[in-house]
Amino acid sequence: MALVATATSIVGVASAWLIVGFDFPLRRTLSWALVLPLAVPTYLAAYAFGEFFHYTGPVQGLVRALFGFQTIRDYWFPDIRSTPGAAFVLSSVLYPYVYLTARIVFLMQGRNIADVARTLGARPGKVFWRVLLPVARPAIVAGVALVLMETVNDIGAAEYLGVRTLTFSVYATWLNRGSLEGGAQIALVMLMLVFMLLGTEQWARRRQRFHTGRATHMRARPPRRRLKGWRALAALAATALPVLAGFGIPIFVFGQYAARRLEQFYAPALTRAFLNSLATATATALITVVLALFLINAVRLCRSHGISVLVRLASIGYALPGGILGLGLLFALARFDNALDGFARAELGFRTGLLLTGSAAAVVVACAIRFLALAESAIRSGMEKLPPNLDEAARSLGHTPTRSATHVLLPLLKPAILTAAVLVFVDTIKELSATILLRPFGFNTLATFVYENASRGVPEEGAVAAILIILTALVPVMLLSGALARDREATM
């Protein structure tokens, strides 16, 4: 976590500063391309990096060709299957969280004060260290907190790269050693760690404010400083390398494997995994959107502090690692199934069995709890852009609260609802840790299909599934990237 936090902070903040403050070749393209690694799940990145930097991979092959080495004993090469290697892999695909938060602050908050500092004679480096970085520190800490939550949640990358983390220990203790209680004890330690991260993120945001005067907002942005010569090349390399590493390497590795296994597109096992993923993701998206609309409308109508607190608690699932959530649901769903079965036998004279435990429904429940915060946040952002007196206007015309919500608010919220559904759909497609714990026997998704092949030491056999995951996840990332590219503040 320390290595990932350091690496993502450096890469994310430096990239945002270069994109916002300077002009160099391909800057506009890289401003949205820097978000693309978000489409690559951490476990896919680990499999791709492991193959790319392997002894038989292209990098070590080039080293041997250039220097004439014959065997691995003739030279030293960093081992990607190590703790620093795992941190490098995770940082390559998670830095966009920091890049996005820092970039927004540099655009919205740092513009005027940076201009004042320049008029007083401060050089760009001093403006960054003494002015922009202190302003962006709360947003950077918030972005790093998101990165660390994803790091704690990871299981596939850590296992493949041979790093024993708490998340993997929960899985191994329960399934490999048969100790559900031991897994629960480890999960409690992880839960304490997650609450520490949440507290840090809230503490960082306590003084985070954005203010832009109306006249200033309408004023054209001063031109960026144009870089030339070696400085332009250095800025280009600094912003292009993260994209090539976090997105280029997985596409290169899995694209090559998939091109040699085109027949897998029609394989029954992959087809079932793809359909299972679609069904699970679709059901999760529908459930979370409906729940999010219900919760947001309850807060809007009741305007009670207690209701607001309950909604916040309902949205905390995104901070919980999938392993913890899956393990907790096992206890809760098993108790519910046993109670229902006992009632049916005593009162109705038949057995219901286990309806939710060990079924695909358990996977949907886990994903809905985990990704409810995504749907709620997207829809709430859309709701906040609407005039606050729409409800009163509709009621003054004789509409009931329900009718005003369905006939007035819902049509206006269609873009936000669609965004929420797409985000939840894609994150469910990528989800691995909770699915591994809760899926029924013989039930595979695209994520578990790739994971099983990688666990057997043949990640290339899951290449087609990996490409399908990346392509599916690329849709919302491209939508987000397009929004960034169309941002008037970024292109002036």
Side-chain angles (χ1 to χ4, degrees), residues 235-317:
L236 175 61
T239 50
L241 285 177
V243 180
L244 294 176
F247 186 75
I249 290 178
I251 287 293
F252 173 78
V253 171
F254 287 117
Q256 279 192 327
Y257 287 148
R260 297 195 294 265
R261 293 168 173 79
L262 295 178
E263 70 281 355
Q264 286 190 355
F265 278 102
Y266 309 100
L270 181 61
T271 302
R272 286 194 298 271
F274 180 65
L275 294 177
N276 289 339
S277 293
L278 287 181
T280 302
T282 302
T284 302
L286 291 175
I287 291 172
T288 51
V289 166
V290 171
L291 285 176
L293 286 170
F294 175 79
L295 293 174
I296 291 172
N297 201 45
V299 172
R300 188 181 179 93
L301 293 177
C302 298
R303 297 179 182 178
S304 166
H305 178 70
I307 296 295
S308 300
V309 171
L310 289 177
V311 172
R312 292 294 96 198
L313 289 176
S315 302
I316 203 173

Side-chain angles (χ1 to χ4, degrees), residues 321-475:
I324 292 180
L325 189 59
L327 200 62
L329 276 176
L330 277 175
F331 288 102
L333 295 179
R335 177 161 295 189
F336 171 81
D337 281 342
N338 289 329
L340 183 62
D341 183 68
F343 173 81
R345 281 188 296 171
E347 303 295 332
L348 305 176
F350 66 90
R351 299 175 60 93
T352 61
L354 299 177
L355 297 178
L356 297 178
T357 307
S359 68
V363 177
V364 173
V365 171
C367 292
I369 294 173
R370 178 155 161 70
F371 301 130
L372 176 62
L374 286 178
E376 190 270 341
S377 176
I379 297 175
R380 178 163 45 85
S381 298
M383 183 78 77
E384 290 172 351
K385 295 177 182 178
L386 300 179
N389 57 352
L390 278 179
D391 287 339
E392 288 78 2
R395 291 176 194 170
S396 68
L397 296 174
H399 287 291
T400 63
T402 302
R403 185 175 177 82
S404 65
T406 56
H407 287 72
V408 178
L409 295 180
L410 279 182
L412 296 174
L413 287 174
K414 280 184 180 179
I417 292 172
L418 180 61
T419 300
V422 170
L423 288 175
V424 173
F425 180 90
V426 171
D427 267 19
T428 305
I429 289 285
K430 298 192 298 181
E431 209 288 323
L432 177 64
S433 52
T435 307
I436 290 177
L437 292 174
L438 295 171
R439 61 176 176 152
F441 180 77
F443 182 89
N444 263 336
T445 62
L446 289 175
T448 59
F449 186 89
V450 175
Y451 174 80
E452 286 186 353
N453 283 284
S455 300
R456 295 197 299 266
V458 285
E460 62 273 11
E461 295 299 325
V464 175
I467 290 295
L468 288 175
I469 293 174
I470 294 175
L471 292 178
T472 306
L474 197 60
V475 174

Side-chain angles (χ1 to χ4, degrees), residues 44-90:
L44 291 187
Y47 308 153
F49 276 63
E51 297 299 309
F52 192 75
F53 292 103
H54 191 262
Y55 175 76
T56 58
V59 176
Q60 292 202 49
L62 181 62
V63 169
R64 291 193 299 273
L66 289 176
F67 298 100
F69 298 130
Q70 299 298 322
T71 65
I72 189 64
R73 293 187 295 272
D74 297 336
Y75 65 99
W76 175 85
F77 193 84
D79 187 8
I80 195 69
R81 287 181 168 83
S82 61
T83 300
F88 172 62
V89 171
L90 293 173

